[in-house]
Amino acid sequence: MFQFPETFLWGSAISANQAEGAFREGGRGISNIDMIPHGADRMPVKLGNVAQPALDPDHFYPSHTGVDFYHRYREDLALLAEMGLRVFRTSISWSRLFPRGDEETPNPEGIAFYQDLFRECQKYGMQPLVTLSHFDIPMGLVEKYGSWRNRKVIDFFLRYAETCFREFSPYVHYWLTFNEINILLHSPFSGAGIAFQPGENRNQVIYQAAHHVLLASAQAVRLAHKYSAENQVGCMLAGGSFYPYSCNPADVWESVQKEQENLFFIDVQARGGYPSYAAKMFREKGVSLVMEPQDTEILKTCTDFISFSYYASRCVAGSTEDKEINDGNVVRSVKNPYLKTSQWGWAIDPLGLRITMNQLYDRYQKPLFIVENGLGARDTVEPDGSIQDDYRIDYLRQHILAMRDAMEDGVPLMGYITWSAIDLVSASTGEMSKRYGFVYVDKDNAGNGTLERRKKKSFYWYKQVIATNGQCLDWKEPHRTEHRNPPKRVSAE
């Protein structure tokens, strides 16, 4: 039987903008995500179609309160430690360290918060994996400089990144520069704070911003290595292969082009320069990159490993006429007739994870790290207080088996991180009802609830998976009392 390495990093994740809340506390400034409301007006803002997003009292903004991780992180980390996590993925709120984004010095309250958070992880033996920008940029940089469309933002990001490496390298050795970097193409404002102005060439703005993001990422890798030889830095892709709808060559060619578009960023970050297909792609999209002489040399600095999220595969066709479109995700695709979908329309494809892992390793020959994998579903609290989320257990189990098969294929994998550790605000829809966590949080889509934490059945299952280093994936019933909430204060022992 296949044995996972003893060093394999089993973990789970959250992000600052979906969990922390406290959006004006501790000196924090407003970020791009704070401008995205819940409800019918959410998507136009996310896509960058609102030229000047503004807060108004008629909308509910889920990120403003999140799930109150800012005030409850000790309680939450104690729960995750009970589950046995070896790695805890989170992100740093850029605007909590630099409220406007262009300050000369960081906010000391923000530094103190994250230092304490990482010390708490250290206390429980959980290694933090930290994303510098998880769909996060201060609104000061959006409003004053136009976000990543402006080259000046690179220097502001590097000041922020260097602050993180200087202050947190004693606690953190695994870093990601940008979360799901390719989402910039599909959701420009939520992905990178890009709000389009009237008359702009959208492709020019997107790819010029992408160039600046890639330069910032490469230079951040250098900085991380400067501050600690132990620092390992990864890039991150919103993963999932693009299948051709049929063996029609037009469908196959469409899948090739979509794969290139999707992997464009990682090609640069992992190979150290623009891929050969980029020139034709830019020409067809009407893009003329503005570059400086040193840019080519800067981009040669590659990441140490490749991380990716995996929720679903995609399916594309040369012509979508008479084909059902699956628009449950921001990355739209043709509905795959061979796959079932989640309650939100995402294709469920465990074998697709094995396929994606093999394709990524064949292409890049770098270690991989799965940093998001999970099922968004509506959970029900039973009369006895339990949450019987067998559907989540089944989803994760099937994906772990596929991951194990890929490792047997010869793909080196550093670890497996589920999304998410606790219920939080959905990045795609802004809902709380789209739950991913092992820990239930009492909050609804309108922001109402006690925020009480409650362990789900999947909590105990994943605890068992970690304790056996992936050898026991079948469910074993825990003691009947274990679904109850832990005490508010948990000792270090």
Side-chain angles (χ1 to χ4, degrees), residues 402-422:
M403 172 184 80
R404 188 179 72 184
D405 289 341
M407 294 176 74
E408 287 191 286
D409 295 336
V411 178
L413 188 67
M414 297 167 64
Y416 172 78
I417 296 176
T418 70
W419 189 268
S420 56
I422 62 177

Side-chain angles (χ1 to χ4, degrees), residues 93-106:
S93 168
W94 186 350
S95 61
R96 200 174 287 289
L97 265 56
F98 291 87
R100 296 190 312 274
D102 59 358
E103 293 91 344
E104 292 288 335
T105 57

Side-chain angles (χ1 to χ4, degrees), residues 69-78 113 116-117 120:
F69 181 76
Y70 182 79
H71 296 111
R72 296 169 180 255
Y73 68 92
R74 290 188 180 89
E75 170 192 348
D76 289 337
L77 290 178
F113 169 73
D116 196 57
L117 170 62
E120 199 76 5

Side-chain angles (χ1 to χ4, degrees), residues 79-270:
L79 276 169
L80 303 185
E82 181 186 339
M83 193 161 47
L85 296 192
R86 298 178 184 178
V87 61
F88 170 61
R89 182 186 171 212
T90 188
S91 64
I92 294 172
S93 168
W94 186 350
S95 61
R96 200 174 287 289
L97 265 56
F98 291 87
R100 296 190 312 274
D102 59 358
E103 293 91 344
E104 292 288 335
T105 57
N107 166 32
E109 288 184 79
I111 297 290
F113 169 73
Y114 288 110
Q115 284 179 335
D116 196 57
L117 170 62
F118 300 142
R119 279 195 293 264
E120 199 76 5
C121 290
Q122 193 175 56
K123 180 175 79 174
Y124 290 116
M126 290 187 289
Q127 297 219 47
L129 186 155
V130 174
T131 310
L132 291 173
S133 179
H134 192 124
F135 299 156
D136 191 308
I137 184 171
M139 274 304 292
L141 299 183
V142 174
E143 294 167 346
K144 188 174 179 180
Y145 301 94
S147 189
W148 285 102
R149 59 158 57 79
N150 192 322
R151 191 179 177 102
K152 291 180 181 178
V153 172
I154 297 174
D155 290 333
F156 299 133
F157 177 81
L158 293 177
R159 182 183 298 160
Y160 158 66
E162 184 162 19
T163 299
C164 292
F165 299 140
R166 182 180 64 245
E167 300 292 343
F168 309 134
S169 282
Y171 318 103
V172 182
H173 302 305
Y174 296 102
W175 302 86
L176 305 180
T177 52
F178 292 89
N179 178 74
E180 293 187 332
I181 191 169
N182 49 322
I183 292 300
L184 167 57
L185 303 179
H186 307 283
S187 187
F189 187 77
S190 66
I194 300 294
F196 298 105
Q197 305 306 306
E200 281 191 309
N201 177 340
R202 294 170 72 102
N203 283 329
Q204 176 67 32
V205 172
I206 285 174
Y207 282 98
Q208 188 65 55
H211 179 65
H212 297 153
V213 167
L214 290 166
L215 290 169
S217 177
Q219 292 175 86
V221 174
R222 288 187 189 178
L223 283 172
H225 292 159
K226 167 189 164 186
Y227 274 91
S228 174
E230 293 185 76
N231 279 339
Q232 296 185 56
V233 189
C235 50
M236 187 193 168
L237 166 77
S241 300
F242 285 83
Y243 301 153
Y245 184 76
S246 74
C247 55
N248 182 332
D251 292 351
V252 176
W253 177 240
E254 182 69 15
S255 73
V256 170
Q257 291 180 295
K258 286 298 184 184
E259 286 284 7
Q260 289 179 337
E261 180 182 82
N262 200 50
L263 296 174
F264 164 78
F265 295 91
I266 311 301
D267 277 351
V268 179
Q269 292 176 295

